[in-house]
Amino acid sequence: MNWSWFHKLGSPKWFYQWAGRWGSPCVYLGALLLLIGIGWGLGFAPADYQQGNSFRIIYIHVPVAVLAQSCYLGLGVAGLVTLVWQMKLAPVFIKAVAPIGAVMAFIALVSGAIWGKPTWGTWWVWDARLTSVLVLFLLYMGVIAIQNTIEDRVFADKAAAVVSLVGTINLPIIKYSVEWWNTLHQPATFKLTEKPAMPMEMWLPLLFSALGLYVFCAGLAMWRMQNEVLHRERRANWVKKEVMGDGV
Amino acid sequence: MNYRAFLKSEWLGLIRRKQDTLNAILFFVMVITLFPLGVSPDASFLAPAAGGIIWCATALSILMAVEGMYKEDYSDGSLEQWLTSSLSLSWLVFIKTLVHWLVVLVPLVCILPVLASMLFLPMDLVGVVLVTLLLGTPAMFFFGSIGAALTVSLRRGAVLMLLIIMPLYIPVIIFATGAIRAAQLGMPFSGQLAILAALSLMSLVISPVMAAISIKASVK
Amino acid sequence: MNYRAFLKSEWLGLIRRKQDTLNAILFFVMVITLFPLGVSPDASFLAPAAGGIIWCATALSILMAVEGMYKEDYSDGSLEQWLTSSLSLSWLVFIKTLVHWLVVLVPLVCILPVLASMLFLPMDLVGVVLVTLLLGTPAMFFFGSIGAALTVSLRRGAVLMLLIIMPLYIPVIIFATGAIRAAQLGMPFSGQLAILAALSLMSLVISPVMAAISIKASVK
Amino acid sequence: MAFDSLSDFFQMGTHGSYVWSTYAISFLALAGLFLSTRMQRKQLTKSLKKRYRREQDR
Amino acid sequence: MYKPINLQIKHLCIERGERLLCQKLSFTVEGGELIRIAGENGSGKSSLMKALLGWLPIEEGTIEFNGEDISVHRDSLLAEQLYIGHATGIKDIFTVQENLSLYCPNSHESDRLEALRNLNLADFEDTPAGDLSAGQKRRVALTRLWLTDKQIWFLDEPFTALDAQGTLTLEHRIKEHLASGGAVIMTTHQPLQTLLPKIIELKT
Amino acid sequence: MYKPINLQIKHLCIERGERLLCQKLSFTVEGGELIRIAGENGSGKSSLMKALLGWLPIEEGTIEFNGEDISVHRDSLLAEQLYIGHATGIKDIFTVQENLSLYCPNSHESDRLEALRNLNLADFEDTPAGDLSAGQKRRVALTRLWLTDKQIWFLDEPFTALDAQGTLTLEHRIKEHLASGGAVIMTTHQPLQTLLPKIIELKT
Ligand code: HEM
Ligand SMILES: Nc1ncnc2c1ncn2[C@@H]1O[C@H](COP(=O)(O)OP(=O)(O)OP(=O)(O)O)[C@@H](O)[C@H]1O
Ligand SMILES: Nc1ncnc2c1ncn2[C@@H]1O[C@H](COP(=O)(O)OP(=O)(O)OP(=O)(O)O)[C@@H](O)[C@H]1O
Ligand SMILES: [Mg+2]
Ligand SMILES: [Mg+2]
């Protein structure tokens, strides 16, 4: 197998150019897909027979919840890579993606809370999923806070890596513990309703919006990583050329 | 410097200072007495909630005890000395955390029966609470140690510390109180205890390594 | 140094550091989330206990915010500078405590509604809780300030003093939660509020003097 | 279209306010993320340019 | 120019733990005088200074400022004194500029810049003091000497961590202050380059 | 007598914040040599020392100990180094005796007494370090130099707060160490009385 791509990935310059090629298409294509999915879901999917129209929140809620989790997984991997292989781009990834993940977790919380009002009659219950998303949000805040508080870059990177990694190990434990705790005490009515498999016309728009959000966030991540790379490599010659080059 | 001398000095420091320890204990007592005062002094409210209250108090006081664990060592230059010695930083962290655990836990365990009876916890449950404490608190200390190490060099970085540690404490509290509740209902609870023990073991392994990385990064 | 510069620097310090403040708030949030997790997530348990839980959390986080209030000033020599300046130590203490109160209380009040609803506290009681917080917390800060001043230089022994300060918190908590409970039952509660206000006023007068004396004694 | 009229679409039965506020908040948050990333780049290039100019002047 | 002053120490004894320091010490400080308290490590120099500032109880003897016993009336001395000790009161989280605003709130912007320039700190105005080297941190504390109008300076080892050029700058400033009628009481273990102090020797 | 050693610094660059310190610095340290890192306040002396100890990342260049790059293998240097910095690691709540037991656990009781006597601390064995004067606290930290068998000493301003007699005692000890084949890397702003160091000058 040819590993040269992997070593190239370690090179900020190569990454910067690669991301320059793929970043914008991803962002705009993702946004388009997302809008299509949401528009479709809002306007054309049939209403749910139990929840009526409030279920339409699903088209933002689920993609965002899924992404919040995926992003954290990414952080954990990047944390491990930072500590073990000390690849230059891994901490850049952590710094760039943590805020994206935090926003996703935040939207998941807010959309879930709003959705809860008509369906459960309350904004918040101490349900397993909700609690674990809340914790996830806290984890993101921890990573962001540590990046922002520590001015020394090397230290900040290490610290953020430690937090991301430990958080990832902990995430399944939290999920499990919370689910277990909740099933002991929560009446089943609070569990997310297990509906029969969704009809196609409900499911397709969801697929679109989920896919769209993924691509959108990937693009954003590339942009943010580019920013970070520029900042970190500001002393390198290629950055100088890059910055001074585009229309002085 | 060698490991034995280090262990002895940590021990001596905690005994000599007393304050940190006593602070943690006092905090513990205070949280527990606040509940009957602030919420309700009824046995019907307190008895079922007792396990939870005790564990919340424990978590908070451990947090207090652990928070500034390395702060003095940072400001008086001891961390630098740890790094220049040829001893393994992970072992030093391990020893220090273990000593802290012992010094806080023993008095806490000693006053537990008194406090438990103030909360109308049935005597036969006190044993269960004790076991959960013994199995669960190491995880809290060791995870806390990571947070403390990460934030030593930050000028009062306790917020971060809380943010980082809180998610790590939640499973411990859930399983511990779960075990107590199961015991209250007469159900088996060895599963929860096993998980608690597993969490503590995991923390024992991860934490010294992670804390050592953080300490190393914060000496500048 | 003059009072304005001092006020400005205290303010700046708290804002710059953020930690203390955020720390207290986070601690507050943490205590409040620990309860549903550790004791019971049921609305039937949480709703009646909410007032008490919020006050316990407040007391604990204030204790935490206030505890190390003068520690940094002691170790970096600022206390000596306060003493050599021709400013009144009592006023400096007063200003510092007041700034701390403001900086902790404002965000705490801001997140209160969210947390209250997570504890299923009825919306009309949130106002009452807020009023008790506004009236009661100054007493906690000012009494706490005495404790912090007493313990700042302490090598041993002053733990006793801490023991004396802590009981001062208890009346505040009793009257505050008493007011909330009365409101819950639809009874009048202005009496309790008046007592809270009186406690705060008393602390406002006593504390700067006492704290100044302790600070003076601890610079050696 | 799952709705009979545009006003139906906006009302979504009784749940309009919930659905629309969710989407409004979500949109704002995502747009914020997007814009902050763009702004970050703009400011970065500006400050880097300033820095390089200053270096050249020296 | 300052008014004439007179600080008179008579038969002073102070105690630290069980140890009696400076037995029956007597000396006078007047405007324009530089007093150097000398003695071995642990002989009680810092303690004597703290006793003069009123932080240590006096076992025996009196301290009079302009004829008034300062254990009775301290205000007139308080208004005139400036102390820089082993710990300087400079806050690590504040920038150099902010530290100065705290300690010298009434000084002009231009004076501050001038003082910072004197001490080679002009480039570090907006650096947090915690990110400075040991000597630079000491310099931040010393900047106050350029910005104050206090008459009596108590300096406990002010040359600590300063390099040769910094030492000279500080000595120069002290000379200026003496010339305008100020008084300086200081301790140091280093030999002074250009100053001629009156020496008070403490025995152990 | 120690074995011969060789610490080689090649083209070293380190960075602090935005500031580039010691550009392309090269020098060698061998057994019996005293290196004095000189330079103004803030020129990067302490930072250089921290880089040698491996606490600051190295931007460029290498450091080799006995031919091995220490960024790869640090253990052999670790086993030989002793560092006393601005903060000494001495704990205020411990007595002098207890501090020594922590840092020199393998030393004999009699050696310790001897070392304390050398530094005029014999009477203070059971005093908490927090109750000592500035110079005495420094002496407690320096006692380690009499009790150690480490070969390479990194001393960051070891003369701080010492009186004249203390300075001479320390210089004497350093001379002994050099004579037996040890190496010392130090910074100080004071002129040395009896030692003849090799000077490494840092420019700002
Ligand atoms: C603050 C409140 C809420 C949070 C934090 C939250 C969080 C989550 C999470 C993490 C997922 C999992 C996504 C995945 O991995 O597949 C999810 C899925 C889902 N949520 Fe929520 N949720 C909340 C409220 C609600 C409410 C009120 C409803 C409706 C009754 C709801 C309905 C759903 C549905 C239908 C799914 C997809 C089911 C599945 O694929 O498993 N959620 N939510
Ligand atoms: N913790 C820190 N964080 C960021 N920058 C620092 C830190 N410590 C020192 N610096 C900067 O690094 C430079 C060199 O500092 P260093 O402490 O190495 O100087 P030094 O030569 O030891 O000076 P001194 O003689 O005052 O001890 C200074 O410009 C200082 O501002
Ligand atoms: N905080 C304290 N508590 C008790 N005793 C103290 C304290 N500080 C100093 N001492 C004792 O008082 C004596 C004098 O200390 P002091 O600090 O005045 O000495 P010094 O002359 O300033 O010495 P140095 O040159 O080392 O600064 C010493 O013997 C010391 O042990
Ligand atoms: Mg002294
Ligand atoms: Mg230095």
Side-chain angles (χ1 to χ4, degrees), chain B residues 16-19 22-23 26-27 30-31 33-41 45 48-49 51-53 56 59-60 63-64 67 154-160 162-163 166 169-170 173-174 177 181, chain C residues 17-20 22-23 26-27 29-31 33-35 37-40 45 48-49 51-53 56 59-60 63-64 67-69 71-72 151 154 156 159 162-163 166 169-170 173-174 177 181:
Chain B
R16 180 77 41 92
R17 226 183 283 110
K18 287 196 193 87
Q19 222 214 316
L22 257 164
N23 246 341
L26 257 153
F27 208 72
M30 189 162 149
V31 177
T33 46
L34 280 184
F35 268 83
L37 289 176
V39 185
S40 154
F45 162 80
I53 294 177
C56 291
L60 296 175
L63 204 76
M64 260 206 128
E67 193 223 321
L154 311 183
R155 318 181 210 298
R156 293 222 194 147
V159 207
L160 271 181
L162 278 177
L163 257 178
M166 164 95 170
Y169 279 20
I170 288 177
I173 290 178
I174 288 179
T177 53
R181 218 172 300 129
Chain C
R17 233 184 276 114
K18 287 195 195 89
Q19 260 82 335
D20 275 348
L22 260 166
N23 194 2
L26 257 148
F27 201 75
V29 175
M30 184 162 155
V31 177
T33 47
L34 278 185
F35 274 89
L37 290 176
V39 186
S40 157
F45 161 79
I53 294 178
C56 290
L60 296 176
L63 204 74
M64 198 142 181
E67 195 225 323
M69 209 163 124
K71 210 157 266 175
E72 210 175 287
T151 48
L154 113 152
R156 287 156 257 170
V159 183
L162 251 188
L163 276 174
M166 281 210 187
Y169 278 29
I170 289 177
I173 291 175
I174 290 180
T177 53
R181 217 171 303 129

Side-chain angles (χ1 to χ4, degrees), chain A:
Chain A
M1 173 142 183
N2 181 5
W3 281 92
S4 66
W5 63 272
F6 187 77
H7 295 295
K8 269 193 208 152
L9 253 186
S11 146
K13 185 183 174 187
W14 182 86
F15 173 82
Y16 181 86
Q17 285 160 351
W18 179 82
R21 231 169 305 129
W22 291 99
S24 303
C26 281
V27 168
Y28 295 115
L29 183 74
L32 189 70
L33 276 179
L34 182 63
L35 284 178
I36 292 175
I38 288 175
W40 189 352
L42 276 179
F44 301 95
D48 186 78
Y49 66 92
Q50 274 183 342
Q51 300 189 8
N53 284 316
S54 70
F55 102 99
R56 289 175 201 282
I57 293 177
I58 204 172
Y59 297 108
I60 190 74
H61 176 76
V62 170
V64 137
V66 170
L67 226 97
Q69 293 164 3
S70 313
C71 284
Y72 206 85
L73 192 66
L75 289 197
V77 174
L80 189 71
V81 173
T82 309
L83 293 181
V84 179
W85 292 288
Q86 299 174 349
M87 209 165 99
K88 260 187 168 176
L89 274 176
V92 174
F93 180 85
I94 293 179
K95 184 150 193 208
V97 169
I100 299 181
V103 170
M104 294 304 137
F106 174 77
I107 303 178
L109 278 174
V110 171
S111 62
I114 298 178
W115 197 354
K117 192 68 186 170
T119 42
W120 299 338
T122 165
W123 302 102
W124 181 262
V125 289
W126 292 93
D127 166 90
R129 265 211 174 116
L130 317 207
T131 310
S132 68
V133 173
L134 183 63
V135 172
L136 184 66
F137 180 66
L138 284 182
L139 282 171
Y140 277 122
M141 293 318 276
V143 177
I144 294 173
I146 211 150
Q147 285 271 17
N148 288 343
T149 315
I150 305 176
E151 274 163 27
D152 182 88
R153 180 173 49 76
V154 180
F155 180 18
D157 286 348
K158 279 233 171 89
V162 167
V163 177
S164 312
L165 184 58
V166 175
T168 314
I169 298 169
N170 197 46
L171 206 56
I173 299 176
I174 292 174
K175 255 191 120 146
Y176 170 63
S177 74
V178 163
E179 239 150 61
W180 172 86
W181 155 72
N182 176 274
T183 44
L184 194 76
H185 253 245
Q186 279 295 315
T189 45
F190 278 170
K191 280 192 78 176
L192 300 175
T193 39
E194 277 154 30
K195 283 169 289 179
M198 239 183 248
M200 202 52 157
E201 57 272 34
M202 276 188 183
W203 184 76
L204 259 183
L206 186 57
L207 183 71
F208 263 72
S209 58
L211 212 74
L213 195 66
Y214 253 111
V215 176
F216 178 70
C217 287
L220 272 187
M222 285 180 221
W223 278 3
R224 296 183 78 89
M225 283 174 76
Q226 275 191 310
N227 292 352
E228 194 56 31
V229 165
L230 276 186
H231 178 63
R232 288 182 186 211
E233 302 285 315
R234 60 192 174 280
R235 258 182 238 99
N237 253 331
W238 69 266
V239 173
K240 191 169 175 181
K241 261 186 221 142
E242 181 72 37
V243 171
M244 297 310 268
D246 63 314
V248 176

Side-chain angles (χ1 to χ4, degrees), chain C residues 3 14 24 39 44 62 70 79 90 95 98 104 111 116 125 132 161 165 179 195 207 220:
Chain C
Y3 293 113
L14 282 173
V39 186
S44 59
I62 289 180
Y70 300 104
L79 291 189
S90 302
I95 291 173
L98 207 68
V104 171
I111 54 164
L125 279 179
T132 61
M161 297 313 258
I165 296 301
I195 296 175
S207 149
K220 274 281 152 68

Side-chain angles (χ1 to χ4, degrees), chain C residues 72-176:
Chain C
E72 210 175 287
D73 294 319
Y74 176 72
S75 64
D76 70 11
S78 296
L79 291 189
E80 295 180 348
Q81 293 302 331
W82 299 2
L83 284 175
T84 37
S85 77
S86 44
L87 306 179
S88 145
L89 200 52
S90 302
W91 273 109
L92 295 181
V93 167
F94 180 80
I95 291 173
K96 190 175 175 101
T97 314
L98 207 68
V99 172
H100 267 252
W101 176 72
L102 241 147
V103 167
V104 171
L105 202 76
V106 168
L108 207 142
V109 163
C110 292
I111 54 164
L112 189 69
V114 178
L115 292 174
S117 77
M118 284 174 96
L119 293 177
F120 309 106
L121 187 76
M123 267 304 149
D124 48 334
L125 279 179
V126 174
V128 180
V129 173
L130 257 178
V131 173
T132 61
L133 281 179
L134 285 176
L135 288 178
T137 49
M140 293 197 150
F141 269 89
F142 279 93
F143 285 136
S145 175
I146 304 180
L150 275 172
T151 48
V152 69
S153 76
L154 113 152
R155 325 225 164 101
R156 287 156 257 170
V159 183
L160 266 180
M161 297 313 258
L162 251 188
L163 276 174
I164 296 165
I165 296 301
M166 281 210 187
L168 292 172
Y169 278 29
I170 289 177
V172 179
I173 291 175
I174 290 180
F175 286 111

